[in-house]
Amino acid sequence: MNKLTYGKTFWNSLVAGVLTGMGNGSVFGAALMCALGRGRFDDWGGWGSLSYTPSTFNGFMTWCMIIFGFAFMAIMMIAFKRHGELERATA
């Protein structure tokens, strides 16, 4: 029986995946900022709710970080599940 179910690995996946993914998303945002400057973004968007509005530069970077974070969380959950299946097969 696979002991590494989604329910048992959710919090580990959430912390490890979102921290790693949001870190990679911030690097993506920094690289974008270096390559484009503010580009076509009229507003920097670094205050209050503008930080989460995708039409502002900071909001776009924030959403990149959130999307990368949850994508890495999904990858971690799949990896934990497959690791559990491999351990079950060798036991």
Side-chain angles (χ1 to χ4, degrees):
M1 180 175 149
N2 186 355
K3 294 182 181 181
L4 294 177
T5 61
Y6 289 131
K8 290 181 180 178
T9 62
F10 176 78
W11 292 107
N12 289 333
S13 299
L14 179 74
V15 171
V18 171
L19 283 176
T20 303
M22 289 186 82
N24 288 339
S26 69
V27 171
F28 174 78
L32 183 70
M33 184 174 61
C34 289
L36 299 177
R38 266 189 19 202
R40 295 184 181 172
F41 295 102
D42 293 333
D43 190 4
W44 175 63
W47 301 101
S49 64
L50 287 176
S51 293
Y52 298 97
T53 305
S55 63
T56 64
F57 181 72
N58 190 31
F60 176 75
M61 286 180 29
T62 300
W63 276 102
C64 286
M65 289 172 46
I66 291 170
I67 290 168
F68 273 60
F70 285 108
F72 273 73
M73 179 186 167
I75 291 168
M76 288 294 295
M77 291 184 85
I78 292 168
F80 279 136
K81 183 174 185 267
R82 289 188 178 171
H83 178 72
E85 290 170 357
L86 286 173
E87 287 215 352
R88 182 187 65 203
T90 58

